[in-house]
Amino acid sequence: MEYSDEDDIDIEEILKQAENVECIDENSIKKFATVFKKKKNKNERDRIEHPDNPEKWVSSEVDLDEMLVNTKNLSVCTNLYKSMVECEILGDIVDLLNHPNNDIVIEVLDIIKEITNPSNLYELDKEVSNIIVEYLNNKKLTHFVINVLEKINEEENDEYYNAMSSIFNIFENIFELENNLQNDLLTNSKLLFFLLKRITVEIKGNDSNSLYASEILVLLILRINQFAENVYDDFYYTISIFNSLLKYISKYKDKDPPNINKKEILLNCFQAIGNLLLLNDNKKVFDSTIGLELMLKLLSERKFLCFPSLKIFAIVLNDKDACNKFVELNGLKYLFCLFMLRHIKKNKITIFEFEENIITVISNLCIHCTGTYLGRVLNKFGEKKCEKIIRLLEIRQKYNDIITNEKKKKKKNLLVNENLKKMNIQIDDDCRKNLEYIELCDKGYLIYQLTDVILIALFFMNNSYISNNIFIHLYTKNIDIQSIYENILDFQDCLDDDELKEKLKKMLTFFLTSSKESNLFV
């Protein structure tokens, strides 16, 4: 059914009808769609016929803008979305992302932001939601939104600055939905490198868009890891990401960031690097950068970025070459200063995260270092009457108390069981055991286990001075050898690395045999 431009369109009536899906007047929606398309086409035709004479097309552009304002009103009514697809209103909206007038584009961005809002789509029947998403995907929505990035100059005015925020909001919506709409975002390098550039540019004080860009970057890299990791096959692509992030971080290698906004951006940069390093192949690329040296510099300065750099070490120091290189670069000096909590303001850190990261790093060094590098790790524990062994056992006792208390709770009181009961989800015993293990790790179980990994690894080095000190302190603190045995077994069960499992088994056997022969532990 066709309508002329002069047909009366009562948008308020459509909105009123939209409150009850059964009362929606389909003719009103169709009428709106027809007039919208005509006004859109007229403006397009006027611009083509009179490209250098704005007076010839300004009137149709004003009409088009008014239609977009009305469409924005419709976009809050989720029960109209399916009709907007069927009448191709959404298709016309997406097409307008290519409009030469940025003011029109900004109106369109606001509409798309509303329609892609996950809370709106979750209100719909899943089938309807899928229809809308698939339609937007077929219309290449994300491709056109990415292209808009180059058209919006945030420095021009506040409206354009807010428009960029809307674009980031759309990306965030798409990532949260986790559907095919995100595919172009993951494989289009234009978006990734735009974000990398945007976080380095400060357009205004406390630049919220710069922070938003860093948050989207973290999400983007995480999703690439999950669904499109083949993009990292290009070495130069991956190393460019690392170099951009490291270059920005290096500005603060010897000073603290000036404000909270900068701190959050930097933390997001570290999170992005951490996400990249979740893939082993990317760790090899990281080795080709100045990353390890920069992280060590940050560690030595003991300023704000000291602690995120420690987290990076907890990720990358998981093989012989990386661990040996860390020792070669004199990283032990700075690491053990932190371990002993020297020169650190405790209010600067989350103690749990700090202890988890530093215990992870030390355990990896004890397991993976070889030759003289391993000897240097051992020597650190022998310094100053083995004070670092005492410190290690203090941490162990802290988490022993926490985990013992958690394990004493009845299973029905464990958070995981409560949540599963609420959701009426049935799982097998192995799955339940894994979930409960993860819950305990959130309380510090991994830290507790790794302290024992360090103990048996140190003991396995067969240095009589270190070994005797370990036994003496275990005995005087009345630590049950059985608890160490159980911790290591539980830790082994969670490993996929058979070689590491075998190594830990040898260490544990040697430790248990020696403890029995010592006659200290009956």
Side-chain angles (χ1 to χ4, degrees), residues 231-251:
V231 302
Y232 297 132
D233 291 345
D234 184 341
F235 174 84
Y236 295 103
Y237 174 89
T238 309
I239 200 169
S240 295
I241 303 172
F242 276 125
N243 285 337
S244 296
L245 291 167
L246 293 170
K247 183 179 179 180
Y248 182 71
I249 291 170
S250 67
K251 295 178 182 179

Side-chain angles (χ1 to χ4, degrees), residues 86-288:
E86 292 170 346
C87 297
E88 297 192 353
I89 295 174
L90 285 189
D92 288 332
I93 290 169
V94 173
D95 288 343
L96 285 172
L97 286 170
N98 291 316
H99 199 280
N101 184 343
N102 280 347
D103 293 335
I104 296 291
V105 173
I106 289 170
E107 293 279 6
V108 171
L109 289 171
D110 285 340
I111 295 169
I112 293 172
K113 179 175 69 174
E114 188 67 35
I115 291 172
T116 58
N117 188 329
S119 62
N120 288 339
L121 291 176
Y122 292 153
E123 287 181 13
L124 302 173
D125 179 87
K126 188 173 182 180
E127 183 180 351
V128 175
S129 177
N130 289 340
I131 288 172
I132 293 164
V133 168
E134 193 59 32
Y135 181 83
L136 292 173
N137 192 37
N138 290 336
K139 288 292 181 178
K140 302 293 182 185
L141 169 66
T142 51
H143 172 78
F144 292 125
V145 174
I146 290 173
N147 287 341
V148 173
L149 290 170
E150 298 174 345
K151 296 174 62 175
I152 302 296
N153 181 6
E154 297 172 78
E155 297 181 73
E156 194 164 320
N157 55 50
D158 286 344
E159 188 178 12
Y160 284 16
Y161 186 88
N162 293 334
M164 186 60 70
S165 180
S166 293
I167 293 175
F168 292 154
N169 199 163
I170 291 168
F171 292 150
E172 184 179 17
N173 290 345
I174 291 170
F175 285 133
E176 186 175 337
L177 290 168
E178 289 193 30
N179 51 46
N180 291 337
L181 265 179
Q182 69 179 359
N183 291 345
D184 274 347
L185 301 183
L186 306 185
T187 55
N188 192 325
S189 61
K190 188 186 294 185
L191 170 60
L192 189 142
F193 287 103
F194 175 87
L195 295 171
L196 286 169
K197 182 179 179 181
R198 182 61 185 85
I199 63 177
T200 65
V201 179
E202 188 170 16
I203 291 177
K204 56 171 71 175
N206 290 325
D207 186 357
S208 60
N209 277 355
S210 183
L211 175 57
Y212 209 166
S214 69
E215 292 168 351
I216 298 301
L217 179 66
V218 172
L219 284 172
L220 175 60
I221 291 175
L222 190 60
R223 292 291 185 268
I224 290 174
N225 287 359
Q226 293 173 306
F227 304 107
E229 63 177 86
N230 60 301
V231 302
Y232 297 132
D233 291 345
D234 184 341
F235 174 84
Y236 295 103
Y237 174 89
T238 309
I239 200 169
S240 295
I241 303 172
F242 276 125
N243 285 337
S244 296
L245 291 167
L246 293 170
K247 183 179 179 180
Y248 182 71
I249 291 170
S250 67
K251 295 178 182 179
Y252 300 93
K253 62 186 177 184
D254 51 11
K255 62 181 179 181
D256 282 337
N259 53 54
I260 293 176
N261 203 63
K262 286 288 185 186
K263 287 180 179 179
E264 291 296 326
I265 293 170
L266 284 162
L267 289 176
N268 286 333
C269 288
F270 274 93
Q271 184 64 56
I273 291 174
N275 288 347
L276 283 166
L277 292 172
L278 292 175
L279 301 179
N280 285 328
D281 287 345
N282 288 348
K283 291 180 182 179
K284 297 174 184 176
V285 179
F286 185 74
D287 289 341
S288 303

Side-chain angles (χ1 to χ4, degrees), residues 40-103:
K40 169 179 168 289
N41 291 342
K42 185 177 189 308
N43 177 248
E44 184 178 331
R45 187 169 57 251
D46 289 348
R47 273 184 166 271
I48 292 172
E49 292 175 356
H50 310 284
D52 300 321
N53 190 356
E55 291 182 1
K56 296 289 186 179
W57 45 257
V58 68
S59 177
S60 64
E61 205 140 298
V62 170
D63 289 343
L64 179 60
D65 185 69
E66 288 177 356
M67 292 300 296
L68 286 171
V69 171
N70 288 331
T71 306
K72 191 187 297 185
N73 293 334
L74 289 176
S75 69
V76 301
C77 302
T78 57
N79 51 354
L80 292 179
Y81 286 5
K82 187 177 180 182
S83 297
M84 291 171 74
V85 168
E86 292 170 346
C87 297
E88 297 192 353
I89 295 174
L90 285 189
D92 288 332
I93 290 169
V94 173
D95 288 343
L96 285 172
L97 286 170
N98 291 316
H99 199 280
N101 184 343
N102 280 347
D103 293 335

Side-chain angles (χ1 to χ4, degrees), residues 336-347:
F336 281 100
C337 279
L338 290 173
F339 180 63
M340 299 304 292
L341 294 180
R342 292 180 181 141
H343 314 298
I344 294 177
K345 294 179 181 178
K346 291 188 180 182
N347 61 353

Side-chain angles (χ1 to χ4, degrees), residues 461-473:
M461 296 177 202
N462 209 16
N463 178 288
S464 59
Y465 178 65
I466 296 293
S467 299
N468 289 338
N469 266 277
I470 289 174
F471 273 166
I472 289 169
H473 289 299

